[in-house]
Every structure is written in C-alpha cells, then in structure tokens.
Amino acid sequence: MHAAGPKNPLHGITLQTMVTQLVEHYGWEMLGRMIPINCFNWNPSIKSSLIFLRRTPWAREKVEALYLDSLPDMQPNTEGEAPAA
C-alpha cells in the first residue's frame, strides 16, 4: 500500500475519484487496454470496478500507479499557460 500523510500524492484521494478521473481522461476502452482486467473490459461501471479493486490489492496498486503517472496529463491548463510538453 502507500504511505499515509499529506506529502503522499494519494493522500485524501478516494479510489472512486481515481477511477472516475481515469475513465474521464482515457475512457473505458483505453483503460481496459492499459490495465487488462475484466471490470474495465466487460460491462464496465464505476460501481463494479470499485467492488473488484477494493477486494484485489494487486489491481488497486496498478490503478494507483496509473493515476500517479497520469496526474500531469489530467491537470487542467490555466488560461494563458502553454500546455506541458
């Protein structure tokens, strides 16, 4: 698991928030390709994904790692700023 505390980028972020943001950013199809688990590929929903991920530590770790890797891409650009390269 990850360390608790305010310096941890996952501190205060719920699993539901992570999955929702990943789905909004990538979509179910791409998410299922990046993390090939049935809850993302077969009849996907936030609810079914949360049930599976809460019971399956290795899958949750993959979602957390993808979320951390994707954070820079998911940050909204403020007006006047150039997109990050």
Side-chain angles (χ1 to χ4, degrees), residues 6-56:
K7 292 192 180 212
N8 183 334
L10 295 178
H11 180 73
I13 305 293
T14 65
L15 184 59
Q16 182 173 359
T17 299
M18 282 187 258
V19 173
T20 301
Q21 288 183 357
L22 288 170
V23 169
E24 288 173 358
H25 186 69
Y26 294 112
W28 287 112
E29 186 176 339
M30 181 57 74
L31 191 56
R33 288 181 188 165
M34 297 172 89
I35 304 174
I37 52 179
N38 284 341
C39 67
F40 292 161
N41 289 312
W42 185 75
N43 199 15
S45 73
I46 299 292
K47 183 177 178 181
S48 66
S49 298
L50 292 175
I51 290 169
F52 177 77
L53 294 169
R54 287 181 179 134
R55 295 179 182 172
T56 316

Side-chain angles (χ1 to χ4, degrees), residues 63-82:
V63 169
E64 289 174 348
L66 178 61
Y67 180 79
L68 288 174
D69 289 343
S70 303
L71 270 177
D73 297 334
M74 292 190 292
Q75 298 301 321
N77 288 338
T78 56
E79 254 182 73
E81 277 188 27

